[in-house]
């Protein structure tokens, strides 16, 4: 045999020392939430000590925290194989089975662990939580079989695994929904991660069940068939046009009249003198008569001038009186018009105030309508699993209504689904600030704290919510989940 000490002993001590260092580093990384690094340290330690059950147990816990439930289960089964009398191995196995949605197997593993350690309070609580999940999963299965979409949606929102219950014939909720020709339920289950490859005891998948019954709408979802499209339409046309033109000429002729002529005659001198004398007497008589007419006309003009003067004075007096009356009437009209304007302006001001208030009310109503529409759109895309789009829609709504606690609650839910737990917690805090007596805000806060691995704070937040709504089964189940997560943290 080999002697004690020497190179072999030194190598073993160094190897053991390295293993311990990796184990300590892995435990520290786990406690800080650096689960990937923790798993790497535990893997390095296992390479140095492949039969150390504690290392496999710790790595199983890290894998579970990373959501790698398959590898977590493999490590847990290795723990049970190495130390079948250690209850922790069954606890790790139960946790990974729970993550895989195998609730019945998880219950059995917890029961095995409690047989070895009956006084383990954390395992007892975890068993109760998983048993409750198994009951909820059975309700989900029967709701899917009955095409009860609201109940299915509520169960999935409460984080019940879609494959968490199998009927005696081996069918899952997805197979039951396909058998009931419920495409809406099928779509909801697929979005929640239901497995397409699950089979009944007879070997049928959900797709085969739908095809056998001729349920085309369900068949298209399991999985969606590829579609192809081809072909295009084309054509062109052109038109030509022309025109014509014409010209015309005009001719005109002008005719000129011929010249005309005439003759003149003479008079006798004696006759001409007699005529001149006669003409002189006639002119004198005409001058005297003209003078008499001018004197008469002058007198008439004097009379008329006097009459015109008096008439002008009377007209001026009449106009002055009329002007005075007009001024008095104008002043009265102006007074009345001023009063009327004041009354009209007062009415107009009142109407403008009413219209402004109506506009403000209409704007508020439109803003409220838009907020409700954005919220409804956000809820719709949230249900479709489009959490980023939902968060954007809730943000637009919150800009319009920054004191609406529901909007911050909804956005917190979307951010939690996206894994943005810090922002989700900020929105939940704002919701609680706006509506401190609303249990949903405390529940959102608890979900964000759970995502941040602050399980103890999450439990306290759920307690606040349950203090406001003690009969809410969803809150009770969520609190159990945080309590369960707290219970299975690495030692």
């Amino acid at each position: 045999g080999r002697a004690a000490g020497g190179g072999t002993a030194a190598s073993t001590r160094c190897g053991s020392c390295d293993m311990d260092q990796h184990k300590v580093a892995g435990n520290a990384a786990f406690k800080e939430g650096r689960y990937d690094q923790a798993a790497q340290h535990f893997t390095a330690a296992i390479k140095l000590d492949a039969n150390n059950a504690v290392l496999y147990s710790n790595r199983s816990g890290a894998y579970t925290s990373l959501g790698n439930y398959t590898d977590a289960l493999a490590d847990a089964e290795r723990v049970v194989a190495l130390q079948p009398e250690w209850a922790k191995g069954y606890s790790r196995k139960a946790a990974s089975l729970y993550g895989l949605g195998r609730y019945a197997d998880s219950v059995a593993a917890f029961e095995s662990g409690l047989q070895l350690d009956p006084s383990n309070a954390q395992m007892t609580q975890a068993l109760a939580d998983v048993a409750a999940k198994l009951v909820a999963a059975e309700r989900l299965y029967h709701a899917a079989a009955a095409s009860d979409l609201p109940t299915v949606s509520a169960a999935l929102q409460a984080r019940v695994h879609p494959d968490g219950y199998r009927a005696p014939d081996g069918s899952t909720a997805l197979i039951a929904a396909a058998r009931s020709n419920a495409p809406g339920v099928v779509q909801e289950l697929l979005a929640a991660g239901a497995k397409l490859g699950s089979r009944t005891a007879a070997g049928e998948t959900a797709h085969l069940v739908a095809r056998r019954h001729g349920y085309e709408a369900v068949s298209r979802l399991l999985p969606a068939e590829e579609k192809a499209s081809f072909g295009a339409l084309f054509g062109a046309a052109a038109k030509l046009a022309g025109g014509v033109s014409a010209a015309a000429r005009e001719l005109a002729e002008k005719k000129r009249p011929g010249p005309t002529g005439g003759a003149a005659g003479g008079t006798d001198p004696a006759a001409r003198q007699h005529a001149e004398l006669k003409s002189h007497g006639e002119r004198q008589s005409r001058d005297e008569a003209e003078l008499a007419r001018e004197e008469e006309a002058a007198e008439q003009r004097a009379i008329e001038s006097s009459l015109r003067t008096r008439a002008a004075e009377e007209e001026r007096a009449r106009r002055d009186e009329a002007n005075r009356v007009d001024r008095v009437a104008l002043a009265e009209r102006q007074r009345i018009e001023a009063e009327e304007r004041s009354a009209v302006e007062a009415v107009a001001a009142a109407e403008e105030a009413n219209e402004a208030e109506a506009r403000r009310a209409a704007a508020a109503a439109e803003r409220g309508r838009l907020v409700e529409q954005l919220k409804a759109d956000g809820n719709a895309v949230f249900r479709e699993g489009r959490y980023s789009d939902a968060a954007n829609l809730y943000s637009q709504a919150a800009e319009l209504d920054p004191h609406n606690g529901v909007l911050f609650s909804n956005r917190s839910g979307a951010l939690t689904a996206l894994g943005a737990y810090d922002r989700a917690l900020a929105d939940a805090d704002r919701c609680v600030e706006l509506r401190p007596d609303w249990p949903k805000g405390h529940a959102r806060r608890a979900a964000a704290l759970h995502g941040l691995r602050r399980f103890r704070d999450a439990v306290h937040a759920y307690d606040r919510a349950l203090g406001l709504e003690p009969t809410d089964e969803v809150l009770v189940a969520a609190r159990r989940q945080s309590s369960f997560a707290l219970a299975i943290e690495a030692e």
Side-chain angles (χ1 to χ4, degrees):
R2 295 180 182 177
T8 302
S11 175
T12 302
R13 284 195 302 273
C14 289
S16 176
C17 185
D18 287 342
M19 183 274 291
D20 288 336
Q21 289 175 352
H22 282 300
K23 178 183 176 183
V24 170
N27 290 339
F30 190 99
K31 290 178 181 179
E32 294 173 4
R34 295 181 287 112
Y35 305 115
D36 189 46
Q37 294 180 20
Q40 292 175 12
H41 281 297
F42 294 141
T43 298
I46 287 170
K47 290 179 179 179
L48 299 172
D49 189 353
N51 294 315
N52 189 321
V54 173
L55 296 177
Y56 285 104
S57 172
N58 288 0
R59 189 172 70 174
S60 177
Y63 282 151
T64 296
S65 297
L66 288 168
N68 184 0
Y69 302 115
T70 300
D71 288 343
L73 178 59
D75 276 358
E77 289 177 337
R78 178 65 173 159
V79 174
V80 172
L82 289 170
Q83 290 193 17
E85 301 303 318
W86 188 31
K88 187 68 173 183
Y90 295 96
S91 175
R92 292 298 193 196
K93 181 177 179 179
S96 59
L97 288 167
Y98 174 85
L100 290 169
R102 294 167 56 181
Y103 294 155
D105 294 337
S106 178
V107 167
F110 273 128
E111 289 174 343
S112 298
L114 284 170
Q115 289 178 1
L116 298 171
D117 187 4
S119 62
N120 191 313
Q122 291 182 343
M123 201 180 306
T124 300
Q125 179 62 54
L127 172 60
D129 293 340
V130 177
K133 279 286 188 180
L134 180 58
V135 173
E138 184 175 1
R139 285 199 298 266
L140 167 64
Y141 173 89
H142 291 299
S147 304
D148 185 354
L149 180 58
T151 300
V152 170
S153 298
L156 295 174
Q157 287 178 7
R159 298 180 182 270
V160 176
H161 198 286
D163 299 322
Y165 173 80
R166 280 184 175 268
D169 68 348
S171 61
T172 62
L174 182 63
I175 296 173
R179 189 181 294 145
S180 300
N181 192 22
V185 175
V186 168
Q187 190 170 16
E188 193 89 352
L189 291 168
L190 289 174
K195 295 179 181 177
L196 284 166
S198 297
R199 295 179 180 271
T200 65
E204 285 190 315
T205 63
H207 182 66
L208 290 175
V209 169
R211 288 290 298 275
R212 178 164 58 83
H213 288 284
Y215 298 150
E216 292 300 325
V218 173
S219 295
R220 285 193 294 269
L221 295 171
L222 299 165
E225 297 177 356
E226 295 184 358
K227 299 180 180 180
S229 61
F230 59 90
L233 299 174
F234 61 91
K239 296 182 180 180
L240 299 175
V244 294
S245 61
R249 298 179 180 177
E250 297 180 355
L251 299 175
E253 296 182 353
K254 299 181 181 180
K255 297 182 180 180
R256 298 180 181 178
T260 59
T267 58
D268 181 38
R272 187 168 55 251
Q273 184 178 10
H274 176 72
E276 290 176 354
L277 290 173
K278 183 179 181 181
S279 175
H280 177 73
E282 292 175 352
R283 280 199 301 276
Q284 187 175 2
S285 297
R286 286 198 298 272
D287 290 342
E288 292 175 354
E290 182 64 27
L291 179 59
R293 286 196 295 274
E294 288 179 359
E295 290 177 353
E296 184 178 356
E299 185 178 354
Q300 184 64 34
R301 284 196 294 273
I303 295 172
E304 291 176 354
S305 176
S306 176
L307 292 174
R308 284 196 298 272
T309 300
R310 188 168 62 227
E313 291 174 352
E314 291 176 353
E315 177 62 21
R316 188 164 47 254
R318 185 191 64 79
R319 285 199 301 270
D320 289 345
E321 178 62 19
N323 289 338
R324 186 189 66 78
V325 172
D326 289 343
R327 286 195 296 273
V328 172
L330 177 62
E332 182 64 15
R333 285 197 302 273
Q334 289 174 341
R335 183 187 65 78
I336 294 173
E337 289 173 355
E339 292 178 353
E340 291 176 347
R341 278 197 303 273
S342 297
V344 169
E345 289 172 357
V347 171
E351 291 177 349
E352 176 62 25
N354 291 336
E355 290 176 359
E357 180 61 27
R359 287 193 296 270
R360 283 193 295 272
E366 175 61 18
R367 188 164 55 251
R369 186 197 65 77
L370 183 56
V371 167
E372 288 301 316
Q373 183 62 52
L374 289 168
K375 184 177 75 171
D377 292 345
N379 292 343
V381 298
F382 186 98
R383 287 192 291 272
E384 295 173 3
R386 294 159 52 197
Y387 304 118
S388 180
D389 293 340
N392 289 335
L393 289 166
Y394 294 141
S395 295
Q396 295 177 42
E399 289 180 2
L400 296 172
D401 190 358
H403 300 289
N404 191 326
V406 174
L407 299 177
F408 289 97
S409 170
N410 290 3
R411 188 170 68 180
S412 177
L415 292 171
T416 296
L418 290 169
Y421 301 117
D422 288 328
R423 294 168 58 198
L425 179 59
D427 274 358
D429 288 340
R430 176 59 174 158
C431 176
V432 170
E433 178 185 354
L434 291 170
R435 298 183 62 176
D437 295 330
W438 189 35
K440 192 59 171 286
H442 297 284
R444 293 295 193 197
R445 189 169 183 274
L449 288 166
H450 185 101
L452 291 168
R453 314 299 300 180
R454 294 166 57 183
F455 300 126
R456 192 176 304 281
D457 293 337
V459 170
H460 292 328
Y462 279 125
D463 287 340
R464 291 288 303 277
L466 286 167
L468 297 169
E469 192 66 45
T471 61
D472 193 317
E473 293 184 2
V474 174
L475 292 177
V476 172
R479 184 194 180 281
R480 285 175 177 169
Q481 185 177 10
S482 293
S483 176
F484 171 73
L486 180 63
I488 65 172
E489 280 189 311
E491 297 177 345

